[in-house]
Amino acid sequence: MAAATTTSSSISVRLQIPGNLYKAEKNNKALALSDCYHSRNAAIKLKRRRFWAIASAKSPKGLDAINGKNLNGTYVVDKSPIKGNKHSEILTDASVDTPLHAYLLGKFVEDRFVYRQTFIIRSYETGPDKTATMETLMNLLQETALNHVTSSGLAGDGFGATREMSIRKLIWVVTRIHIQVQRYSCWGDVVEIDTWVDAEGKNGMRRDWIIRDYHTREIITRATSIWVIMNRETRRLSKIPEQVRHEVAPFYFHRAAISKEKNDSDKIDKLIDETAERIRTGLAPRWSDMDANQHVNNVKYIGWILESVPRTVLEDYYLTSMTLEYRRECRQSNLLESMTSPTSKVDEDSNSNTTKRIPDMKYTHMLRMQDDKAEIVRARTQWHYKESHHVSMNVI
């Protein structure tokens, strides 16, 4: 029996990293991705190849596959090394001189009152319908807000806290947030988020956001929120010290993402056992649900709220609007109950030409402690039937 023979080839790929990403790697050492395999024409035999990756902010034109072409956004060069020169192929680009923060963070626009950041929707940020979830949107809003504080030069030693707040052991906590979604992005879509802040009463701050489709410039989401200051040790609310007010006031921008008449500012009714249609018990926070301030991250509440929503609603409707009122902190040791009750069906607009449209649904929700029934969050949601979603979803 003749012995099978295999051939071995080598592909040089080099990953170029912005100059200040790894200070220790000043000699531009290549990152090797070794022992990578690929198949050709569904053959059983595999050819072993070695890759060096080349990343560039600008992809060379006319390249669309492997071997000197684009592969998932990375430019890969198939180049056998010259004898005696292990790393013979190097791609240079002006982007190597760009500071790392230019990639990770966004930029200020409109005279530095508005902070803008771009994100791509990842596959793990989508739900069963293959679009970004409400939790994903909330996480992106929160990330943009934190980066806004960091980029402004105000950041202290806490997440979102200014230097004067850190000195006084103070943190920001959200008391209310309202979000309206016109359209959910899909996996791979690029979104652009603008955020800014303004005063809210004597001792509060309002933060607003707008999410756009990066390519079409369509506004697909609007959100507004109210924040107050809490002492991180006593967990009691505090007035805004004058030193802190002096820090943040120059960034106040008198603009509203959602007009007053379209903002859901009404008080959310409290649910009790007799008024709740559905109750889900035994919800337990995990260690990974805790944030840097040692309480449950406010975004985590959304998943628990939706635990008591009827399955048919989750499958057949889009969540177009959500309002959350935060009443109390939650810690990992607490067991929670999620309560939901339908509020009403939104009647069809009498001026609309649409016939037999399935009405939107409204629900009231509440999260509470399982042991003493203390309130944690009240919420209100509005849902739109998926079949006509692209035609008549007009909450903004």
Side-chain angles (χ1 to χ4, degrees), residues 55-343:
S56 172
K58 296 181 180 179
S59 299
K61 295 181 179 179
L63 305 173
D64 54 10
I66 200 169
N67 295 340
K69 302 173 184 180
N70 275 329
L71 179 61
N72 292 334
T74 302
Y75 180 47
V76 181
V77 176
D78 189 353
K79 196 79 171 180
S80 299
I82 299 175
K83 187 176 181 179
N85 186 358
K86 186 177 181 181
H87 305 149
S88 60
E89 186 68 19
I90 301 176
L91 178 67
T92 60
D93 192 277
S95 63
V96 297
D97 296 325
T98 305
L100 177 62
H101 65 75
Y103 295 94
L104 298 182
L105 302 181
K107 61 182 179 180
F108 285 95
V109 296
E110 300 197 47
D111 295 328
R112 295 185 61 83
F113 285 110
V114 177
Y115 181 76
R116 177 172 295 169
Q117 188 163 5
T118 304
F119 298 91
I120 185 170
I121 303 300
R122 311 292 182 177
S123 59
Y124 53 81
E125 295 173 324
T126 61
D129 60 358
K130 301 179 182 179
T131 63
T133 64
M134 179 63 78
E135 290 172 89
T136 292
L137 297 184
M138 289 288 196
N139 277 322
L140 294 181
L141 298 184
Q142 183 170 271
E143 179 70 9
T144 307
L146 291 172
N147 287 337
H148 180 198
V149 177
T150 301
S151 298
S152 68
L154 297 179
D157 60 3
F159 271 38
T162 68
R163 287 188 292 272
E164 291 293 338
M165 290 173 64
S166 297
I167 293 172
R168 293 164 177 77
K169 301 178 180 180
L170 301 174
I171 59 175
W172 288 110
V173 292
V174 60
T175 59
R176 186 182 180 96
I177 186 167
H178 174 58
I179 182 170
Q180 298 177 353
V181 182
Q182 179 75 13
R183 175 172 63 81
Y184 286 91
S185 301
C186 300
W187 171 34
D189 285 351
V190 180
V191 296
E192 180 182 87
I193 303 180
D194 285 1
T195 188
W196 62 91
V197 294
D198 197 3
E200 180 66 28
K202 294 182 178 180
N203 286 293
M205 183 180 72
R206 194 189 80 238
R207 177 176 286 280
D208 287 5
W209 297 267
I210 288 177
I211 303 181
R212 297 184 186 89
D213 183 288
Y214 181 79
H215 298 291
T216 67
R217 314 306 298 164
E218 171 195 6
I219 295 178
I220 56 179
T221 301
R222 299 175 186 265
T224 185
S225 59
I226 298 175
W227 300 72
V228 295
I229 284 181
M230 171 187 285
N231 186 293
R232 69 168 180 256
E233 292 186 349
T234 66
R235 317 310 283 187
R236 294 181 178 178
L237 298 184
S238 168
K239 293 182 178 180
I240 299 181
E242 285 304 315
Q243 296 87 343
V244 176
R245 196 186 307 275
H246 180 74
E247 284 182 309
V248 299
F251 293 89
Y252 286 164
F253 190 41
H254 305 307
R255 175 186 293 175
I258 302 174
S259 61
K260 187 175 182 180
E261 60 271 15
K262 293 184 178 180
N263 190 8
D264 181 12
S265 57
D266 295 337
K267 182 179 178 180
I268 301 176
D269 294 333
K270 178 180 179 179
L271 288 180
I272 56 177
D273 291 340
E274 290 73 23
T275 58
E277 183 179 87
R278 300 169 62 91
I279 302 178
R280 175 72 183 274
T281 62
L283 301 173
R286 302 166 299 176
W287 174 252
S288 60
D289 295 328
M290 309 301 286
D291 64 14
N293 294 321
Q294 298 304 309
H295 58 226
V296 172
N297 187 295
N298 65 83
V299 176
K300 299 295 182 180
Y301 294 126
I302 298 174
W304 293 326
I305 287 171
L306 300 182
E307 283 291 326
S308 57
V309 173
R311 177 70 176 269
T312 55
V313 174
L314 297 176
E315 292 178 344
D316 298 335
Y317 288 76
Y318 286 95
L319 178 54
T320 63
S321 173
M322 189 171 203
T323 305
L324 299 141
E325 289 181 356
Y326 297 93
R327 299 302 184 97
R328 183 175 280 99
E329 290 184 281
C330 174
R331 298 184 179 276
Q332 189 187 1
S333 58
N334 300 129
L335 282 179
L336 311 180
E337 292 180 336
S338 176
M339 310 170 70
T340 290
S341 182
T343 304

Side-chain angles (χ1 to χ4, degrees), residues 14 44 46 92 132 135 150 232 325 339 348-349 355 370:
R14 175 163 299 174
I44 297 177
L46 300 178
T92 60
E135 290 172 89
T150 301
R232 69 168 180 256
E325 289 181 356
M339 310 170 70
E348 180 186 339
D349 186 351
T355 59
Q370 187 166 301

Side-chain angles (χ1 to χ4, degrees), residues 6-26:
T6 60
T7 60
S8 176
S9 60
S10 177
I11 294 178
S12 293
V13 182
R14 175 163 299 174
L15 181 63
Q16 290 196 350
I17 302 172
N20 66 344
L21 180 56
Y22 297 114
K23 294 182 180 179
E25 297 291 332
K26 292 181 180 179

